[in-house]
Amino acid sequence: MKRYESQVDRKSEEYKRRHSAMLNKLSELNLHLKKVKEENPKAVAKLKKKGKYPAREKIRRIMDPGTEILEIGALAAHEMYDDISGGYPSAGSIIVIATVCGKKVVMMANDPLVKSGAWVETTCKKNLRAQEIAMDNHLPIIYIVDSAGVNLERQAEIFPDQFHFGRIFRNNAKMAAMGIPQISCVFGFCVAGGAYLPGMSSELAMITQQSSMFLAGPFLVQSALGQVVEMEPLGGTEMHNAISGVADYQFDTEDEALQWIRDQVAAIGERTKAGFSRTKAEKPYYDPEELLGILPASPTATYEMREIIARIVDGSRFEEFKPHFGRTLITCFARVGGFSVGIVANQGKSVQRKMPDDPLGRPQSPQVQIGNVIYSDSANKASHFIMLCNERLIPLVFLHDVTGFMVGKMVENNGIIKDGAEMVNVQANSVVPKFSFIVRNSFGAGNYAMCGKAYDPRLIFAWPTARLAVMDGGIAADTVLLTKRDLNDEAKKKFREELVKKYDIETSPYYSAARMVVDGIVDPRETRNVLIEGLEMAQNNPDIPEYKTGVLRL
């Protein structure tokens, strides 16, 4: 593949402005991440006095030294529970993809320093995402349990809908049938329905004088049955190991339990991997640091998307598919970390489309196509490319900067709905792993066509510049105002300001990350590393079905 010839000038004032603006956004991101990961020293000291480690420390002691983790949902519940003292940092749960004894695993840890590990709706959504990742990629999952169960003041948010608390135990059963190892260790409380999580795992360990499991605690038992019973005989470690048989192992210290978890992972045999093409990895020719100076500070200013691709892929080399057709979308083959990938990316600038001469031979003026918009030709190119990648077992990467499909009389007459539907169809039915990164805008049906969260990407991360919504706030306000004929000019102005402000909040990547619409917000320089981590985990699932799309309205 030919190396891309970059035009980025690191000495230009425009590059410096863009670089500075992105650094400001990254400073904001790092402050938010520091806040949610910062542990209260007094609370940590109290834990350690009991012989217990904080949740993140447990994870560090389980994972292989010197390896990296990919955290999922670090900003979950961000600014969502301000009515609760201290909020709900990371939704009271820590989810990571890590390496343990040389194997990729998912780890799911309750954080007892956040409301004793009690669950709210976002905690449930986050933990379901962890199980989804384990199932999609056939990864062993480790449950580090220390939770008071459902937050009873908010039970209606978490029980009993399809994707509420009960879905977790359904997934336990499904993963068991899939042959996915589930290793649980109860490090503290495990109450009510939450006891089924470790109870349905492959193996379960508890710690003497620390762990307890019961469907109803001492107070509820006394209230319901009039029985007065202490914690240990009701559901302590010794009872469950010696009498009920619910637990399989008993340890005296957390260090022993953490080593046991590593030993169990080490004993897991190797399975057949997916047959993705992988060669020796090569670093990008261009410095990923330059990613910070490519994207404009303005959400509407132009740039060249190929410059971004060149700083993510191996050797900064890629081969474009149909480079002269459907030019508001870039489709190309490349390698990332040695893996063969197909990339679908929205162009960041307007392009000229050459028009054929009319029947009388008169030359026609080129037609300007707006960047970041999907036209019929772009959609048709993407559909063809996605089918090629599925035919050839090549994972797909989507780089979003899309304001939607083109609208207007001419494109409607030419069948933009049909062409867009075809792209959504082939993408939705794709059987190879898909990975999405929201670089800037991801609006409307463009989000769907480019594999938004509803379309099962193995991972989906946003840059700090991302905006997700049905459309831009200003356009939405102007559209709604066309129906507000009874308002005077002053009222219209106020209405517009309020709606735009609302959109500014709701389109923020922090709003999406808080609600697990994305798996997190990533430093652009880490995009390549996140993608490699995703590809390495995806190859653990060899079960790739036959690719079918059904009827296409061609």
Side-chain angles (χ1 to χ4, degrees), residues 287-295 308 311-312 463 524-525:
D287 189 353
E289 174 70 26
E290 294 173 352
L291 287 169
L292 306 190
I294 293 172
L295 203 65
I308 288 176
R311 285 154 182 83
I312 295 173
W463 283 17
R525 295 168 293 190

Side-chain angles (χ1 to χ4, degrees), residues 188-410:
F189 288 116
C190 189
V191 182
Y196 286 111
L197 174 66
M200 296 183 72
S201 297
S202 314
E203 290 181 296
L204 165 59
M206 299 177 73
I207 300 166
T208 307
Q209 301 300 318
Q210 299 282 10
S211 308
S212 58
M213 293 176 62
F214 29 65
L215 298 184
F219 292 133
L220 181 53
V221 169
Q222 184 177 358
S223 173
L225 302 177
Q227 292 180 2
V228 178
V229 60
E230 297 295 327
M231 189 90 71
E232 175 57 40
L234 179 64
T237 301
E238 293 182 11
M239 191 283 289
H240 279 307
N241 274 271
I243 299 175
S244 75
V246 169
D248 308 308
Y249 302 88
Q250 178 176 341
F251 300 104
D252 292 329
T253 67
E254 288 198 343
D255 285 315
E256 292 175 293
L258 296 172
Q259 183 58 50
W260 169 78
I261 291 172
R262 287 185 52 80
D263 291 343
Q264 301 315 299
V265 176
I268 297 171
E270 291 290 336
R271 292 181 180 268
T272 305
K273 294 187 182 294
F276 306 137
S277 171
R278 191 178 194 185
T279 58
K280 185 178 178 181
E282 183 183 358
K283 291 182 179 179
Y285 179 77
Y286 300 111
D287 189 353
E289 174 70 26
E290 294 173 352
L291 287 169
L292 306 190
I294 293 172
L295 203 65
S298 165
T300 56
T302 63
Y303 66 97
E304 174 57 72
M305 177 60 85
R306 292 176 182 86
E307 299 283 4
I308 288 176
I309 294 172
R311 285 154 182 83
I312 295 173
V313 302
D314 288 9
S316 301
R317 292 190 298 269
F318 52 90
E319 182 178 53
E320 285 198 56
F321 174 75
K322 288 184 180 290
H324 306 297
F325 181 77
R327 294 171 62 207
T328 63
L329 263 180
I330 297 167
T331 50
C332 62
F333 296 105
R335 288 191 181 270
V336 178
F339 285 99
S340 176
V341 298
I343 298 173
V344 182
N346 305 111
Q347 178 56 290
K349 62 181 183 181
S350 297
V351 296
Q352 285 193 340
R353 181 188 182 197
K354 186 177 179 181
M355 303 301 291
D357 295 343
D358 73 3
L360 298 179
R362 293 172 296 191
Q364 302 294 299
S365 299
Q367 181 188 83
V368 176
Q369 291 187 329
I370 303 168
N372 318 114
V373 175
I374 302 176
Y375 291 77
S376 284
D377 55 356
S378 310
N380 290 335
K381 176 171 81 169
S383 297
H384 187 171
F385 182 75
I386 291 168
M387 288 190 283
L388 274 178
C389 289
N390 276 274
E391 176 189 74
R392 300 173 184 183
L393 208 62
I394 298 174
L396 283 158
V397 181
F398 294 85
L399 301 177
H400 295 223
D401 187 0
V402 59
T403 54
F405 284 87
M406 191 58 187
V407 297
K409 182 175 181 293
M410 182 181 294

